[in-house]
Amino acid sequence: MAIYRILALDGGGVRGTLTATILRRLSEQVPGWLDEVDLIAGTSTGGILALGLARGLTPAELQELYCDNCAEVFDDSWLDNILDLGQVVGAQFSNKNLAKMIDKVIGPVRLDELKKRVLISAFDLDNEAEEALERSWKPKFFHNFPGEDSDGHYLARDVALYTSAAPSYFPAVDGYIDGGVVANNPSMAALAQVLDYRADIPERPLLNEVRLLSVGTGKPLNFIHTRRKYLDWGYAHWVKPILDIMMDGSMGLADFQCQQLLGRHQYLRINPVLTEAIGLAAYKKVDELMHIGETCDLTEAVEWLENSWMETEALFELVPA
């Protein structure tokens, strides 16, 4: 029974610098582990990294691109602030510089021309269904697996813009916004994709044949301190924390589900603690993010890659209930 390997990369804006740094260190300590990956899943900044890796770039090259381009991507001029009334009526940033960075990372290739299978999350604001009772918004997972539902004909750079169009940060693109609103941690979505009996996957793996490495963009120490039994808050109080609560909650849910389904031998998540808040657009924190990536303890991850990821066959059989 051959091993099927999935790499899943979280969203997090500029914190993708941390992800790229961790991947670079792992590649230095366990040479060749990335070559073995079968599917790379990504959301938002993780989607850009996933597409870059599938295009053939190394983690070191991606780290350098983030360091060199984040300041321009998240450049917010005083004129833009006036025009969008400080994000009240417009996105905080234009996506022109983001598009330039994506072109450097990916270039003009279709998803089906990439070197690896990918699964990239986004959210479709209007499915444009002809039937009135079927028209709605919905999650969208772009992939390049063969089959009738393949998205292989999409340009990878377009999909990268779709998945990273974070609401209020960047404008929507072709009716899509950031996949982080549904799957900021795409691990469970990736697992569902490869286990889907309808998917056209040669020698589809069994659950015990899957190895899944999930890499986050840093765990912020967020909490709401109160001694009250309940918070009697309205829109004004909840509007800011609710987005972070939903994002962190969905990431934690995917982590829990993968832990329960796969267990320690088959699944590992790397997500270093951030001792201070680092926002999605905090480009001045790039050096700090690299420092966290360089100094976080990867001993467990290295051992897991060597002992679990690099296995050639599953060591145990599934026992029917």
Side-chain angles (χ1 to χ4, degrees):
M1 296 183 293
I3 300 300
Y4 193 96
R5 301 170 180 87
I6 303 170
L7 173 63
L9 306 175
D10 284 15
V14 70
R15 300 205 304 262
T17 308
L18 172 59
T19 306
T21 304
I22 289 172
L23 294 177
R24 195 214 78 230
R25 285 183 61 201
L26 291 176
S27 294
E28 292 170 353
Q29 296 183 53
V30 188
W33 75 272
L34 262 177
D35 297 334
E36 302 299 322
V37 70
D38 295 291
L39 168 64
I40 311 176
T43 292
S44 195
T45 196
I48 295 173
L49 290 170
L51 291 165
L53 291 171
R55 183 77 168 90
L57 274 71
T58 67
E61 290 172 323
L62 290 170
Q63 179 186 9
E64 183 178 356
L65 280 165
Y66 268 67
C67 293
D68 292 345
N69 292 277
C70 278
E72 291 185 5
V73 169
F74 296 104
D75 177 43
D76 192 24
S77 67
W78 64 268
L79 177 59
D80 181 66
N81 280 331
I82 292 174
L83 293 175
D84 62 28
L85 299 182
Q87 289 181 264
V88 174
V89 297
Q92 184 173 1
F93 307 106
S94 164
N95 60 10
K96 291 182 179 179
N97 290 332
L98 176 62
K100 290 179 181 178
M101 174 182 166
I102 287 171
D103 278 340
K104 293 178 184 178
V105 175
I106 301 167
V109 298
R110 300 191 310 269
L111 292 183
D112 58 13
E113 295 175 317
L114 297 173
K115 298 178 180 179
K116 297 286 185 180
R117 298 290 185 215
V118 294
L119 182 76
I120 309 297
S121 66
F123 192 84
D124 186 355
L125 295 175
D126 182 0
N127 64 6
E128 299 182 345
E130 294 183 1
E131 296 292 332
L133 295 180
E134 295 180 3
R135 188 169 183 177
S136 178
W137 54 29
K138 65 181 180 66
K140 170 63 179 177
F141 294 92
F142 291 89
H143 67 82
N144 58 357
F145 287 92
E148 293 182 359
D149 67 339
S150 177
D151 302 298
H153 61 284
Y154 277 85
L155 287 175
R157 62 186 179 190
D158 289 344
V159 174
L161 281 174
Y162 300 161
T163 189
S164 53
S168 81
Y169 286 91
F170 294 108
V173 181
D174 297 339
Y176 293 101
I177 59 172
D178 197 308
V181 301
V182 289
N184 208 41
N185 173 354
S187 298
M188 192 61 194
L191 185 60
Q193 174 69 24
V194 300
L195 296 178
D196 182 0
Y197 71 92
R198 299 166 300 174
D200 189 0
I201 304 175
E203 300 180 3
R204 182 182 301 102
L206 299 173
L207 185 63
N208 66 311
E209 296 171 322
V210 173
R211 300 293 180 270
L212 199 165
L213 176 62
S214 172
V215 184
T217 56
K219 179 182 178 182
L221 298 177
N222 291 334
F223 62 90
I224 296 175
H225 179 70
T226 177
R227 296 188 179 186
R228 302 174 187 174
K229 292 183 179 179
Y230 63 94
L231 293 176
D232 188 14
W233 284 5
Y235 290 127
H237 294 96
W238 281 114
V239 66
K240 185 174 181 179
I242 197 64
L243 293 175
D244 289 334
I245 288 172
M246 293 175 67
M247 291 281 194
D248 291 346
S250 69
M251 289 189 292
L253 175 62
D255 182 37
F256 170 78
Q257 291 169 326
C258 289
Q259 285 188 55
Q260 297 300 105
L261 287 172
L262 297 174
R264 172 67 182 81
H265 183 70
Q266 294 178 247
Y267 170 75
L268 181 70
R269 179 159 171 83
I270 305 172
N271 198 26
V273 170
L274 301 178
T275 56
E276 65 172 295
I278 299 179
L280 304 185
Y283 66 88
K284 293 181 180 179
K285 298 288 187 178
V286 163
D287 289 342
E288 183 175 337
L289 288 164
M290 283 198 298
H291 176 72
I292 295 171
E294 294 287 0
T295 57
C296 65
D297 187 0
L298 296 180
T299 303
E300 181 184 12
V302 169
E303 292 177 354
W304 186 85
L305 286 174
E306 292 175 340
N307 297 324
S308 296
W309 181 273
M310 300 301 281
E311 284 180 344
T312 56
E313 293 184 353
L315 299 180
F316 61 93
E317 299 282 348
L318 287 176
V319 179

